[in-house]
Amino acid sequence: MVKKLLAIIAIVVAGYVGYDTYKMYRGGYFDMPELGPNDFFLSFKSGLRGVMRDIPDERPARRYIAYGANNVPTWFQETWSECRLPAEDERAAFEQNVDVGPGGRLEAICEIDAEGDIFVRGWFSSVPAL
């Protein structure tokens, strides 16, 4: 009886570790770039992954939403992008095209540098976490 119980516990633990490892692989955490002291990362199921460089981390108070660009080649869809604060004209253009709702705001523009060719991978906005 004890052997069966230990076997079941071992199977459950192995299943949990395997599933957690799979989630980390799907999130891209094994090939993520180095983080600086003021950096944090966001990874979404859609494949949009970004390192937020010198942007305040407001995750306890705000919920982040990802908007992926439509014209991204498939080989770049799961690549880590570098995210930066938007300029005022970029913020205004985003708010004209996307309604993030009350309290929502554009937080970052995420770009990929493909050997000198920089293109927008997506945008991160946030809304209050109520």
Side-chain angles (χ1 to χ4, degrees):
M1 178 69 164
V2 173
K3 286 184 179 182
K4 287 183 180 181
L5 183 60
L6 289 175
I8 291 172
I9 291 172
I11 290 171
V12 168
V13 168
Y16 177 78
V17 169
Y19 181 67
D20 200 43
T21 302
Y22 171 73
K23 286 192 318 186
M24 289 182 69
Y25 172 75
R26 286 285 299 145
Y29 299 116
F30 294 126
D31 63 349
M32 128 179 164
E34 293 291 322
L35 295 177
N38 296 328
D39 300 343
F40 69 100
F41 60 88
L42 294 172
S43 177
F44 289 86
K45 289 181 181 179
S46 65
L48 181 53
R49 302 169 180 165
V51 177
M52 308 285 272
R53 302 277 186 205
D54 297 320
I55 299 173
D57 185 2
E58 299 184 32
R59 281 184 280 190
R62 300 188 67 82
R63 188 172 63 108
Y64 286 90
I65 301 169
Y67 297 94
N70 292 332
N71 57 351
V72 177
T74 56
W75 50 90
F76 287 128
Q77 288 183 356
E78 293 186 355
T79 301
W80 283 95
S81 56
E82 301 284 326
C83 302
R84 61 173 174 81
L85 289 170
E88 285 304 316
D89 59 335
E90 293 170 324
R91 186 182 307 274
F94 180 82
E95 290 173 355
Q96 285 180 349
N97 294 317
V98 178
D99 180 22
V100 293
R105 66 181 184 224
L106 177 64
E107 294 289 343
I109 296 177
C110 300
E111 300 170 329
I112 294 177
D113 183 356
E115 296 182 348
D117 186 20
I118 298 174
F119 64 94
V120 174
R121 170 62 184 100
W123 302 267
F124 287 135
S125 67
S126 70
V127 293
L130 303 176

